[in-house]
Amino acid sequence: ILSADEIVAEEIIGKVAVVIDVLRATSTMITSLANGYKQILPVVSIEEAKELSASLKEKHFIAGERNGVKIKGFDFGNSPCDYIKSSVRKKLILTTTNGTKCFTRLQKAQEVIILSLLNMKAVIDWLQKKDEIVFCCAGRGGQFALDDFITAGKAIAQLSANNQIKLSDTAKVACDFYSYNKKSILKTLKNSASGQNLVKLGKESDIEFIASGEFSIVPFYKDHKIEVK
Ligand code: MLT
C-alpha cells in the first residue's frame, strides 16, 4: 500500500496499480462509467480541465471539486449520486483535490485499475491472477486517509482468503484493520477526516451510497483516459 506522495514511478514498473479514493473520486468514476459515460479524462488542475474542455470537439461534461465543493462554472461536482441513471454516452473531464493526482505517477505501471467499495467484487475477481499488486491510496494532501486504507484492507482480506500471498507490513495492518471493523464500515467511513468533511458539507448520502452500492465493472487507466474495456 502506498499513499499518493509515496508513489515513485520507477518502483511501479511491471506491477498492477490499484487506485483508491473511495470518498469520492474513484466512486464517482465507477458510478459514471457504470451508468453510461464512455470515458473519464482525469486531470490535476482546474486550468487543465478548462483547457481540455475548450479543445475537446466531442460533447462532454466537465466536473470536479476542491475540498469537496463543486468548482464554479463546472457541470457537476464530485458526487457519485449525480451520475446515477444518466443515459449520456459522453466523456467526463474530472479534476478532484486528491484523487486525480495519483494517475500522473502511475504511467509506468503494467496496468492501472480503479477501485472503490462499489466495485470490490469485480476487482477482486480480476486481481486473482495478478502477481505484484500495489494499492495506491489517494489520501488527503498526499497523506494517509482511513477511508482509503479500510478499502485497501477489504481488498487484501478478500485476496488473501483464497490465495497464499505475501503481504507488506502496511498490507497486514490494513487487512487487520478491515477485519476488526468490517461490521461498521459505514461508521468508519463517516468518522474518517474525508467523511467528516462530507458530513459537514451535507453530503452524508454520498457516503451511504458508496458503502452500499455495487457495480460489476473494472475501469482501466491508460494513455490519460479511464474506461471499461
Ligand atoms: C478528492 O479527490 O480529494 C476527493 O475525491 C474529494 C471529494 O470530493 O470528496
Side-chain angles (χ1 to χ4, degrees):
I1 299 184
L2 297 176
S3 66
D5 278 1
E6 289 170 335
I7 301 169
V8 176
E10 274 62 38
E11 285 175 16
I12 305 285
I13 296 175
K15 298 179 184 164
V16 173
V18 181
V19 179
I20 305 173
D21 184 359
V22 66
L23 298 181
R24 298 168 292 177
T26 55
S27 297
T28 291
M29 291 167 184
I30 292 155
T31 308
S32 54
L33 289 169
N35 284 282
Y37 281 82
K38 65 175 177 187
Q39 195 176 77
I40 296 169
L41 305 166
V43 293
V44 175
S45 71
I46 298 175
E47 292 65 39
E48 226 180 313
K50 286 181 181 166
E51 277 168 26
L52 183 58
S53 176
S55 67
L56 206 63
K57 298 215 166 52
E58 293 162 73
K59 284 196 172 164
H60 62 276
F61 283 130
I62 177 167
E65 56 67 42
R66 282 299 175 268
N67 303 316
V69 179
K70 176 178 171 283
I71 298 161
K72 209 168 155 229
F74 278 26
D75 298 307
F76 300 108
N78 191 27
S79 207
C81 298
D82 287 346
Y83 303 88
I84 308 167
K85 298 213 168 63
S86 100
S87 53
V88 287
R89 289 279 306 151
K90 283 188 187 175
K91 293 188 178 187
L92 183 71
I93 299 171
L94 183 68
T95 177
T96 72
T97 315
N98 300 289
T100 52
K101 281 188 192 151
C102 288
F103 297 100
T104 48
R105 298 180 184 173
L106 295 173
Q107 308 289 355
K108 295 188 175 165
Q110 191 186 67
E111 278 165 306
V112 181
I113 62 165
I114 315 297
L115 174 66
S116 120
L117 292 168
L118 288 169
N119 65 339
M120 184 63 71
K121 192 179 174 313
V123 166
I124 296 301
D125 289 347
W126 187 85
L127 285 174
Q128 293 294 337
K129 293 195 188 99
K130 301 293 168 182
D131 290 330
E132 280 196 272
I133 304 166
V134 182
F135 290 91
C136 304
C137 293
R140 284 170 68 81
Q143 302 298 312
F144 180 89
L146 201 60
D147 45 312
D148 295 335
F149 191 65
I150 198 166
T151 306
K154 182 170 183 177
I156 294 160
Q158 297 195 353
L159 282 170
S160 356
N162 304 322
N163 305 285
Q164 284 281 0
I165 50 176
K166 196 168 158 234
L167 300 178
S168 68
D169 283 357
T170 19
K172 285 177 193 155
V173 180
C175 188
D176 287 352
F177 180 71
Y178 162 73
S179 302
Y180 188 74
N181 291 289
K182 65 178 171 195
K183 297 218 170 84
S184 52
I185 298 271
L186 180 60
K187 195 169 145 214
T188 308
L189 292 180
K190 281 188 188 174
N191 283 340
S192 68
S194 311
Q196 286 297 298
N197 185 45
L198 292 173
V199 170
K200 201 175 73 197
L201 293 169
K203 297 283 182 188
E204 206 166 333
S205 53
D206 280 351
I207 310 177
E208 281 153 15
F209 171 77
I210 291 164
S212 60
E214 193 181 324
F215 298 114
S216 305
I217 59 164
V218 181
F220 290 80
Y221 169 79
K222 199 167 191 259
D223 301 331
H224 310 284
K225 302 173 205 109
I226 298 169
E227 49 195 10
V228 179
K229 278 184 190 165

